[in-house]
Amino acid sequence: MALQEQLDRFKKQQEKCQSTLTSIAKSRPSKSSLTQKTVAVAPSPSTSARTPAPAVKFSNDTERLQHINSIRKAPAGAQIKRVIDLLLETRQAFTPEQINDHCYVDMNSNKAVFDSLRNNPKVHYDGKRFSYKSKHDLKDKSQLLVLIRKFPEGIAVIDLKDAYPNVMDDLQALKTVGQIWLLSNFDSQEDIAYPNDPRMVIKVDDDLKQLFRGIELPRDMLDIEKDLQKNGMKPATNTAKRRAAAQVQGISTKQKAKKKKHEISKRTKLTNAHLPELFKNLGS
């Protein structure tokens, strides 16, 4: 009896599955409709003849991204120098976002770089923009000359080099026309700019001139260098070293003896007797 119930249940499941398959088959479109639909949608010969659209190419920006990443991972000092170089070369004021666009230093994400630049003596920060700050605020050659005339004892050229882009050219131009002097300091080997104002007349007493001219300098350069060193000055030459090098190379430091000038005398063999003017100083 239990077996018969199981068979009846199995038959009902089969009938249910059969009805489900029949409903699915009715819902599918026929082959003819598919053919018609395919024909209707089929592209025209002119459309199929067109060349396929080129594939989209993505730009390879890997190298630039690696460069930016290396800058932002560099030490804070290297990033600060990069920003200062940008400000020095352009002489413009930049916001942190503009600095990031120009030299890829993200100051907003690096507090150490931001604070260091804000407190740097070579950088001016107005609360919004960063700009380069030179030691002397100069704009042109006339302002440069006015500043140099304020320092009769001289002003170091290194303090003027970053005043504005072509300041070194203006220094040479002022020197050429005689408005300033550019002299080197033997101790630091740095150039010093001195004013040469024609309105400043310097009068030297005759006694001082005679005293200066009456000083007898040693004849040997070694003695001159020793005297300079005794007075706290550094000689520009090193005669002892130069002479030692000359001896090693077999070069004599002694001056060559001057050749004796031959004069015509009575014992000279006269070969140009037809030129009597050559022998007019001879005695009879």
Side-chain angles (χ1 to χ4, degrees):
M1 188 68 180
L3 181 61
Q4 187 64 36
E5 290 179 358
Q6 290 180 0
L7 289 174
D8 293 340
R9 192 180 302 166
F10 179 71
K11 288 180 181 180
K12 289 180 179 179
Q13 289 178 355
Q14 281 188 333
E15 291 176 357
K16 187 177 180 181
C17 291
Q18 188 65 32
S19 62
T20 303
L21 292 173
T22 303
S23 61
I24 293 173
K26 288 181 179 180
S27 63
R28 288 181 177 178
S30 61
K31 288 185 179 181
S32 59
S33 61
L34 285 172
T35 305
Q36 292 175 0
K37 190 173 182 180
T38 304
V39 172
V41 178
S44 61
S46 61
T47 306
S48 60
R50 293 178 183 174
T51 56
V56 178
K57 293 183 179 180
F58 295 95
S59 60
N60 187 6
D61 212 14
T62 305
E63 186 175 352
R64 187 180 71 89
L65 294 176
Q66 288 178 346
H67 177 61
I68 296 174
N69 187 49
S70 65
I71 291 173
R72 293 179 179 174
K73 285 188 175 181
Q79 297 188 49
I80 291 169
K81 182 181 182 303
R82 191 174 180 85
V83 175
I84 293 178
D85 289 344
L86 170 68
L87 301 178
L88 174 63
E89 292 172 3
T90 59
R91 301 303 177 106
Q92 297 179 9
F94 294 101
T95 63
E97 293 77 15
Q98 291 172 334
I99 290 174
N100 187 18
D101 294 338
H102 281 79
C103 63
Y104 307 122
V105 176
D106 189 3
M107 299 172 58
N108 290 328
S109 301
N110 195 329
K111 190 176 184 298
V113 174
F114 188 96
D115 292 341
S116 297
L117 283 169
R118 186 179 59 182
N119 300 319
N120 194 292
K122 290 291 184 181
V123 177
H124 173 69
Y125 180 61
D126 61 0
K128 189 175 181 181
R129 290 180 175 84
F130 292 87
S131 59
Y132 188 80
K133 182 173 66 175
S134 57
K135 186 171 184 177
H136 299 283
D137 187 16
L138 305 174
K139 298 294 185 294
D140 51 30
K141 185 166 59 176
S142 61
Q143 294 182 3
L144 175 64
L145 180 59
V146 171
L147 177 67
I148 295 176
R149 285 177 174 172
K150 292 179 180 178
F151 292 87
E153 72 281 2
I155 181 172
V157 173
I158 194 172
D159 294 336
L160 304 172
K161 290 177 70 173
D162 62 347
Y164 55 92
N166 60 333
V167 64
M168 297 304 295
D169 296 335
D170 288 345
L171 280 172
Q172 291 298 327
L174 292 173
K175 176 185 176 182
T176 302
V177 298
Q179 292 183 310
I180 67 169
W181 299 99
L182 288 178
L183 304 177
S184 296
N185 188 338
F186 287 127
D187 294 332
S188 59
Q189 299 297 324
E190 294 179 355
D191 288 341
I192 308 294
Y194 295 91
N196 183 24
D197 194 345
R199 296 172 298 179
M200 298 176 61
V201 179
I202 300 176
K203 185 177 179 180
V204 181
D205 294 337
D206 293 336
D207 294 341
L208 185 59
K209 292 179 183 179
Q210 291 178 2
L211 180 63
F212 177 78
R213 292 168 183 168
I215 297 174
E216 185 178 354
L217 295 177
R219 296 182 179 275
D220 196 341
M221 279 298 298
L222 285 173
D223 296 331
I224 295 177
E225 292 171 359
K226 289 179 181 178
D227 289 344
L228 290 173
Q229 291 174 350
K230 286 180 182 178
N231 290 277
M233 291 180 282
K234 183 179 179 182
T237 58
N238 191 336
T239 305
K241 184 177 179 181
R242 179 171 54 83
R243 290 179 180 176
Q247 289 178 359
V248 170
Q249 297 175 2
I251 303 173
S252 177
T253 58
K254 295 182 179 180
Q255 294 182 354
K256 293 182 179 179
K258 294 183 179 180
K259 290 184 178 180
K260 196 172 181 180
K261 187 176 180 181
H262 295 285
E263 295 183 356
I264 298 174
S265 62
K266 292 181 180 180
R267 300 179 62 182
T268 305
K269 187 178 179 181
L270 302 179
T271 56
N272 294 322
H274 62 287
L275 299 174
E277 63 271 11
L278 296 177
F279 316 113
K280 62 183 179 182
N281 63 338
L282 292 175
S284 55

